[in-house]
Amino acid sequence: MKTNHEKDSSTNNNLLSVRNLSVRFDQGDAQPVDAVKQISFDIPKGQTLALVGESGSGKSVSAMSVLKLLPYPKASHPSGEIIYDGKNLLELNEAQMCQLRGDKISVIFQEPMTSLNPLHTIEKQIGETLLLHRGMTGKQAGTRILELLDLVGIPEPHKRLGSYPHELSGGQRQRVMIAMALANDPELLIADEPTTALDVTIQEQILQLLKELQDKLGMSILLITHDLNIVRRYAHHVCVMFQGEQVESATTETLFSSPQHDYTKTLLDAEPSGNPASVNIPNETLLTTEKLKVWFPIKSGFFKRTTDHIHAVNHVDLSVNKGETLGIVGESGSGKTTLGLAIIKLIRSEGGITFAGQALQGLDQKQVKPLRSRIQIVFQDPFGSLSPRMSISEIIAEGLEIHQPEAADSHETQIINVLNEVGIDPDSRHRYPHEFSGGQRQRIAIARALVLKPELIVLDEPTSALDRTVQKQIVELLRELQAKYALTYLFISHDLAVVKALSHKLVVMRHGDIIEQGNAGKIFTSPQEKYTQSLLNAAFNL
């Protein structure tokens, strides 16, 4: 009996066919790593195939093989072929591949901060692909750029043309990446975790946009994701990968109604759940803000005068007790990350900030430095925040060397212990960030923050790069550490299921303002504001 993919293949309706593809990484003197082992799949014209699996399963490596974006010659293909338009892409030279990339086949990368050029404006980066493949310049290109930014949900796109990547939120950067990928109306779009950095309402808009473009243009999509809710709604076929192998392949309907492999069943059952950690200490305020404000100037004209402001954070008042988790939620660009950075004095702000009874506002970086060991942060983009030139051991040891130089003899033991706590093999501590998957890098970033056992940790989308099974483990880990050390968390996220499992208090932000705040359980049960209601509906009815 033929499988679904064999039926599709027999009709010659496939845009892309992958047969027995293997990927091997040379490790020098060490044993080579077989990251992908003889996987096969077809992508019919106008349809979506989802590759799903945990971090390190080989799904992104498989997808990047299509455009030959692996680090050759360290990477090689012991077997397989990738057929597109009658040609085996693995046999094409670099010049031929360059003609395809960004034109007929486009890609949305998982980590936009490292994929976008920090030295170029958004307008220039989108314009570059239009110029390269379509020869568009001037007014024609400008019109198309604004149209693309509007399509992917960038508010007031004309104000963002001159922005640089670091001036955008994580979700906004991801939307710029999507705009670049769609610029030339590709036949095949490779979407590597395309909505990882997006809140639920924008996620739905982006996925609906991709579906509409697919229907309109007949575009095929290779979707790499760990979010099975997305797969259920938007994919036609699913391939499940585990440790480089394809363990199950079926239509979406068949896979969700009758999964065959135990690993597939585990993925379908994984969801962060449970209640926040119990607070077993007397109410003791650790952090407060009073009328906290962060405005970014918009400069224009020859003399670059300030003509307007982006109101990132508007007069925010909040309070967090020791041992509690304050969840901060809102759409991309709502100001939630800016608020977190302002609180820990990584960006300038106005208003009052008090930590452990000490006023932080007005202190310079030298005065704040002694407090850094007590306040840590886990950034949204683990690859951008981990130095590529340092080993994992060196990265985690950096904070210990600065804040605990007198305990140098115990640093190695502390590093091993914290890596065990976050589920990373301590024997891998001498490897470098690029040798780990996205989920593993985020766990390393969490270990770097945890190793100093701080009182306050700002967690900026700490689970956005993780598959659901690992998210569940991280949520449980954070709960255990909070209960053990009376840690206080500021948990910034667009994933309301994770926020619900961790947060005692909740702040809902929009356009820099707090829309609603209070007891997290009460807000999740009976939100008072329409905006909060729309967020919860989008999250839990997805």
Side-chain angles (χ1 to χ4, degrees):
M1 181 177 178
K2 289 184 178 181
T3 66
N4 292 301
H5 292 304
E6 288 171 339
K7 290 178 183 177
D8 289 331
S9 182
S10 66
T11 64
N12 294 318
N13 191 41
N14 296 320
L15 181 69
L16 186 83
S17 292
V18 174
R19 290 287 172 266
N20 300 317
L21 178 68
S22 297
V23 181
R24 177 173 292 165
F25 289 100
D26 181 32
Q27 301 294 310
D29 295 333
Q31 186 76 12
V33 174
D34 290 313
V36 176
K37 306 164 189 174
Q38 296 191 330
I39 70 165
S40 298
F41 58 81
D42 298 314
I43 306 180
K45 294 176 182 177
Q47 293 198 12
T48 297
L49 172 80
L51 286 180
V52 301
E54 293 184 293
S55 302
S57 65
K59 57 187 187 295
S60 291
V61 171
S62 301
M64 292 305 105
S65 298
V66 174
L67 280 176
K68 296 180 73 173
L69 291 176
L70 300 178
Y72 303 103
K74 181 179 180 180
S76 63
H77 301 286
S79 68
E81 56 183 11
I82 301 172
I83 305 300
Y84 171 78
D85 195 22
K87 302 172 184 175
N88 183 1
L89 299 184
L90 297 181
E91 296 177 350
L92 300 187
N93 60 36
E94 183 63 15
Q96 292 170 314
M97 290 304 302
C98 283
Q99 292 178 347
L100 285 175
R101 294 176 189 142
D103 188 19
K104 296 296 185 182
I105 305 177
S106 202
V107 61
I108 303 167
F109 292 102
Q110 181 176 356
E111 294 164 334
M113 192 59 176
T114 56
S115 304
L116 296 173
N117 191 322
L119 302 178
H120 291 166
T121 64
I122 300 311
E123 181 178 25
K124 184 171 183 179
Q125 295 190 61
I126 300 176
E128 188 175 18
T129 190
L130 293 171
L131 173 64
L132 183 63
H133 295 289
R134 293 290 184 267
M136 284 190 188
T137 58
K139 187 175 181 180
Q140 184 186 21
T143 300
R144 177 61 172 159
I145 292 167
L146 286 172
E147 176 185 311
L148 288 164
L149 291 177
D150 184 59
L151 272 175
V152 298
I154 296 287
E156 300 181 296
H158 62 283
K159 288 187 176 181
R160 289 300 193 182
L161 293 176
S163 297
Y164 292 86
H166 72 275
E167 297 177 300
L168 304 178
S169 70
Q172 289 170 329
R173 287 193 292 267
Q174 190 68 295
R175 280 179 275 174
V176 170
M177 280 293 303
I178 294 171
M180 291 174 65
L182 297 177
N184 296 308
D185 299 329
E187 290 183 339
L188 173 64
L189 178 66
I190 300 173
D192 188 0
E193 302 281 4
T195 59
T196 290
L198 305 181
D199 50 84
V200 288
T201 54
I202 300 301
Q203 179 183 98
E204 192 162 11
Q205 292 173 25
I206 292 297
L207 291 168
Q208 191 59 39
L209 168 65
L210 293 179
K211 188 174 185 299
E212 290 170 2
L213 288 168
Q214 183 176 53
D215 295 340
K216 178 182 177 182
L217 305 173
M219 180 175 66
S220 299
I221 298 175
L222 175 56
L223 176 67
I224 299 97
T225 184
H226 63 266
D227 192 330
L228 293 174
N229 286 321
I230 292 175
V231 173
R232 186 196 296 268
R233 291 190 63 184
Y234 294 99
H236 299 91
H237 305 264
V238 187
C239 288
V240 181
M241 296 189 67
F242 178 65
Q243 294 183 351
E245 297 182 354
Q246 183 177 319
V247 297
E248 189 162 356
S249 178
T251 64
T252 303
E253 183 180 354
T254 299
L255 186 110
F256 278 87
S257 62
S258 182
Q260 300 300 305
H261 198 276
D262 287 343
Y263 178 67
T264 307
K265 296 173 184 177
T266 299
L267 286 181
L268 293 175
D269 290 339
E271 184 78 15
S273 59
N275 298 314
S278 299
V279 181
N280 298 318
I281 56 177
N283 287 344
E284 179 185 339
T285 302
L286 182 70
L287 174 73
T288 60
T289 69
E290 184 177 357
K291 295 187 175 4
L292 190 64
K293 182 176 100 171
V294 181
W295 287 10
F296 295 116
I298 297 174
K299 298 180 182 294
S300 60
F302 181 78
F303 295 104
K304 297 295 181 183
R305 292 192 175 95
T306 299
T307 57
D308 202 351
H309 288 86
I310 296 172
H311 296 187
V313 175
N314 274 323
H315 303 101
V316 164
D317 296 328
L318 57 81
S319 175
V320 192
N321 288 343
K322 189 172 183 179
E324 283 186 339
T325 298
L326 173 67
I328 305 175
V329 302
E331 294 182 294
S332 300
S334 63
K336 53 188 187 294
T337 294
T338 302
L339 173 61
L341 295 177
I343 285 172
I344 62 175
K345 298 287 289 179
L346 288 182
I347 58 174
R348 292 182 180 180
S349 62
E350 297 178 21
I353 305 170
T354 304
F355 171 74
Q358 181 174 354
L360 303 187
Q361 205 60 290
L363 300 182
D364 59 29
Q365 291 302 316
K366 185 177 181 180
Q367 292 169 314
V368 172
K369 185 178 178 181
L371 294 172
R372 292 293 183 204
S373 65
R374 301 168 65 189
I375 305 173
Q376 289 290 297
I377 183 168
V378 176
F379 291 99
Q380 180 176 352
D381 179 358
F383 197 63
S385 65
L386 300 178
S387 172
R389 295 182 177 86
M390 298 171 69
S391 70
I392 300 312
S393 180
E394 291 169 337
I395 287 170
I396 298 174
E398 195 172 25
L400 295 172
E401 291 167 357
I402 293 170
H403 297 289
Q404 299 178 16
E406 73 286 349
D409 291 345
S410 69
H411 289 179
E412 189 78 0
T413 300
Q414 292 184 65
I415 292 166
I416 291 171
N417 289 341
V418 79
L419 285 173
N420 274 321
E421 283 189 312
V422 299
I424 297 290
D425 182 1
D427 290 341
S428 67
R429 65 188 182 279
H430 301 300
R431 291 164 57 189
Y432 290 81
H434 72 273
E435 299 178 78
F436 295 85
S437 69
Q440 289 169 325
R441 288 195 292 264
Q442 191 63 293
R443 280 179 273 174
I444 291 162
I446 292 171
R448 175 175 59 180
L450 293 176
V451 74
L452 291 171
K453 294 183 173 56
E455 296 171 59
L456 172 67
I457 302 180
V458 176
L459 298 153
D460 186 7
E461 301 279 7
T463 60
S464 65
L466 306 180
D467 47 82
R468 276 302 195 193
T469 56
V470 179
Q471 282 185 0
K472 194 170 186 178
Q473 295 168 16
I474 293 298
V475 167
E476 290 170 358
L477 170 66
L478 291 172
R479 283 195 196 118
E480 291 169 6
L481 291 165
Q482 186 170 45
K484 186 175 181 180
Y485 300 112
L487 290 170
T488 303
Y489 298 139
L490 292 187
F491 194 89
I492 301 163
S493 182
H494 66 271
D495 190 331
L496 295 179
V498 176
V499 172
K500 184 178 182 181
L502 275 173
S503 301
H504 303 89
K505 293 179 180 177
L506 190 66
V507 165
V508 181
M509 296 189 68
R510 187 183 190 191
H511 302 323
D513 295 315
I514 289 183
I515 301 300
E516 188 167 356
Q517 70 173 311
N519 179 278
K522 289 182 179 178
I523 293 177
F524 277 109
T525 303
S526 55
Q528 301 300 304
E529 300 294 329
K530 288 185 178 179
Y531 177 70
T532 309
Q533 293 167 8
S534 69
L535 282 183
L536 296 179
N537 288 336
F540 297 108
N541 294 331
L542 190 64

